[in-house]
Amino acid sequence: MSAPLVILAMDTGDAGLIADWVAEVRLPTIGRLMERGCWGTTAGPETICEYGFGLTLFSGISRRDHGYYYFRQLEPGGYDIARARPPIDRAPPFWNALRGTERKALVVDVPDLRPIPGVPGLQLSDWATHHGSIYEPESEPPELVEDVRKRYGPRMKIHSDPHSNPVQALAGLEKLLARTAMKGELARDLLGRETFDLAAIFFSETDAASHYLWDYHTGARRDEDPQRGPRLRDGLREVYESVDREMGAIVEQLPPDATVFVLSLYGYQDEYPAWGLIQSFLDELGYRVPRGPGKGTGASRRLDPVTIARRIVPQRMREAVSRKLSAGAQEKLLSSALRDGTNWERTVAFAVPSLYTSFVRVNLEGREPRGAVAPGREYDDVLTRIEADLFQLVDPETNAAAVRAVSRAVDLFGGDPPERLPDLFVEWEPQPRLVTAVEHPRARITQSMPPYCPSGQEKLSGFFAAAGLGIGGRGALGEVDLLDLAPTFLALLGLSPTPGMRGRPSDAILSS
């Protein structure tokens, strides 16, 4: 095997935890890489929200161009919302540059991405990923999926349930450790089948482990079960250690001069959902105007069963019923609530339903079907008013600001009002509790307990460490722009950035 570029990655890999456990010599593979080369964290405007991290990182294409920001997005040209799959046609991964060449790639379970026909080598997606229970596995060549199934058995799905009891959490921990070992064995098997110029292998178990075990790690649930408590307290670290161990076994299989990156998409922190807060904020302050009974024209007046139920069944009862519905049925209810429950002629702004970062969209003339806000100065004035109102929100329990940051898409990514992205990204102050009410000078903004209520969420900054042929950087580099990583990977393969990439090869990583 010639000296390849090998990327070993984790969905969630908190830079602070990694630093602590490297110092304790609990993550020797990552530690040796840091000693030999350089390390840092990812940053930049593209890190504004969790979804699409992998798509942006491995394509080098900005969110401005690919338009993906959440698994649930507004459908263009209307007010319906639907599940959205990452659009790799608008943001192909950097190994797409190997199409039509003799250079081979091994790609295993990279989030947000699917196999690219025509790229020589082996590609496997959604076999053992965080979102692997949603999409069916795919591969190039197509027969690889069946080969892997025969060798390793049925796909191991992981459901990261933050509401699990200690018995369930311990069972989840054991399953995560087993799947990590399986992923390592699978990766080494595939890596040994051919000579690859590039390998990108993802371990998603740290993400599910963070959701399962974060409260035990922080001590929030440490004393809940004396028998299982100590094991669960160290369970998150145990999963990180298992991933590091499997990565180490992969590195041992590589040529001594291989270029190796270890990276993560994001970290983890205490944080509770805020969907109810942004919804209440927009309604209470008059930015979104709910539709009253019997109002509206055309499609909005159709008396479909969902609309009838919304008008006659109290909200609390509707929430209780919705918790029992399938995910697909709940998505339809969310879409109907926005589309048919809004007076669009009087609404100036609305939100796409999301758990953490809030996505506010202006009801803009010429972009939305029944836009109520004129482009130009009026659009800018609406954004300014919303920003000012958001920054007046106060958490009554802390007497501190409830909102950490509000970012405009046009400021983050440039250009005119976005076609696909929200106009505003709202980041709430993370708290170790569900914030049920915040105060505004003109209104009290409230939310109830959502059906799905995790106590932690991804921190929007990842980790990387790199060493080997072509890596000139040494020691701590600080922050590196997310968009610069794909061009850096291409540079290490001796290739130039492809059209559409907004970043450039990182001098900090490549130069001594």
Side-chain angles (χ1 to χ4, degrees), residues 73-80 361 367 369 419-420:
Q73 296 193 192
L74 190 72
E75 293 191 332
Y79 295 113
D80 287 292
R361 179 97 165 175
R367 187 180 67 182
E419 287 300 315
R420 296 184 180 91

Side-chain angles (χ1 to χ4, degrees), residues 33-320:
L33 205 65
M34 293 169 68
E35 288 176 5
R36 293 172 47 216
C38 58
W39 68 92
T41 57
T42 54
E46 302 294 331
T47 64
I48 189 64
C49 51
E50 170 200 355
Y51 282 81
F53 248 71
L55 186 69
T56 297
L57 190 159
F58 289 103
S59 71
I61 304 296
S62 171
R63 294 182 190 272
R64 176 80 198 188
D65 301 315
H66 65 65
Y68 186 71
Y69 61 93
Y70 197 55
F71 76 88
R72 180 191 297 124
Q73 296 193 192
L74 190 72
E75 293 191 332
Y79 295 113
D80 287 292
I81 53 175
R83 281 187 172 271
R85 193 165 189 182
I88 62 170
D89 57 326
R90 297 196 294 267
F94 74 88
W95 51 84
N96 188 55
L98 302 184
R99 293 178 66 185
T101 74
E102 296 182 354
R103 308 176 78 173
K104 295 181 178 181
L106 170 64
V107 181
V108 181
D109 280 345
V110 176
D112 292 345
L113 299 173
R114 303 191 296 281
I116 305 294
V119 174
L122 302 173
Q123 301 173 68
L124 178 67
S125 70
D126 290 306
W127 175 255
T129 62
H130 178 46
H131 301 293
S133 60
I134 299 175
Y135 305 117
E136 288 301 312
E138 299 178 63
S139 69
E140 283 287 335
E143 59 269 21
L144 178 61
V145 168
E146 186 57 32
D147 176 47
V148 170
R149 185 178 289 112
K150 288 179 180 178
R151 288 173 179 258
Y152 297 96
R155 177 175 52 153
M156 294 179 68
K157 296 182 180 180
I158 301 292
H159 299 282
S160 50
D161 183 3
H163 307 299
S164 60
N165 60 41
V167 174
Q168 294 167 328
L170 188 57
L173 171 59
E174 296 293 357
K175 191 172 184 179
L176 287 167
L177 295 172
R179 204 178 80 164
T180 300
M182 183 274 288
K183 175 63 70 66
E185 183 181 353
L186 168 64
R188 293 188 295 275
D189 171 13
L190 298 178
L191 196 60
R193 294 187 184 187
E194 301 183 42
T195 297
F196 296 99
D197 299 275
L198 163 71
I201 300 164
F202 245 87
F203 291 85
S204 296
E205 291 72 25
T206 49
D207 186 275
S210 297
H211 288 285
Y212 261 127
L213 302 166
W214 185 252
D215 283 348
Y216 297 101
H217 168 75
T218 61
R221 297 178 65 177
R222 187 167 297 177
D223 299 325
E224 186 175 299
D225 188 319
Q227 180 181 355
R228 299 173 181 85
R231 176 79 188 284
L232 292 173
R233 179 189 61 210
D234 297 329
L236 182 59
R237 188 189 70 205
E238 191 174 353
V239 175
Y240 273 69
E241 290 172 336
S242 70
V243 170
D244 184 89
R245 186 164 53 250
E246 297 302 327
M247 288 180 172
I250 293 171
V251 171
E252 289 179 3
Q253 192 173 334
L254 302 175
D257 58 349
T259 304
V260 181
F261 268 80
V262 167
L263 61 84
S264 68
L265 296 183
Y266 19 68
Y268 208 78
Q269 63 187 359
D270 289 324
E271 188 172 3
Y272 279 77
W275 159 237
L277 292 179
I278 193 65
Q279 189 179 32
S280 175
F281 166 84
L282 293 170
D283 287 0
E284 293 296 327
L285 295 182
Y287 291 107
R288 189 190 83 97
V289 178
R291 185 174 298 285
K295 301 286 182 70
T297 60
S300 65
R301 291 188 64 182
R302 289 182 302 199
L303 296 180
D304 59 275
V306 172
T307 302
I308 294 171
R310 184 177 297 108
R311 292 177 180 176
I312 64 176
V313 178
Q315 182 176 349
R316 272 185 195 277
M317 188 175 296
R318 295 202 308 267
E319 291 174 353

Side-chain angles (χ1 to χ4, degrees), residues 79 344-345 347-350 361-376 378-379 382 417-419 423:
Y79 295 113
W344 293 110
E345 287 73 19
T347 288
V348 298
F350 59 99
R361 179 97 165 175
V362 172
N363 191 24
L364 187 63
E365 289 180 3
R367 187 180 67 182
E368 272 66 47
R370 297 197 291 279
V373 177
E378 186 177 355
Y379 169 78
V382 167
E419 287 300 315
D423 294 293

Side-chain angles (χ1 to χ4, degrees), residues 34-35 37-41 463-464 473-480 508:
M34 293 169 68
E35 288 176 5
C38 58
W39 68 92
T41 57
F463 167 86
F464 72 88
R474 293 293 179 268
L477 303 183
E479 295 181 343
V480 170

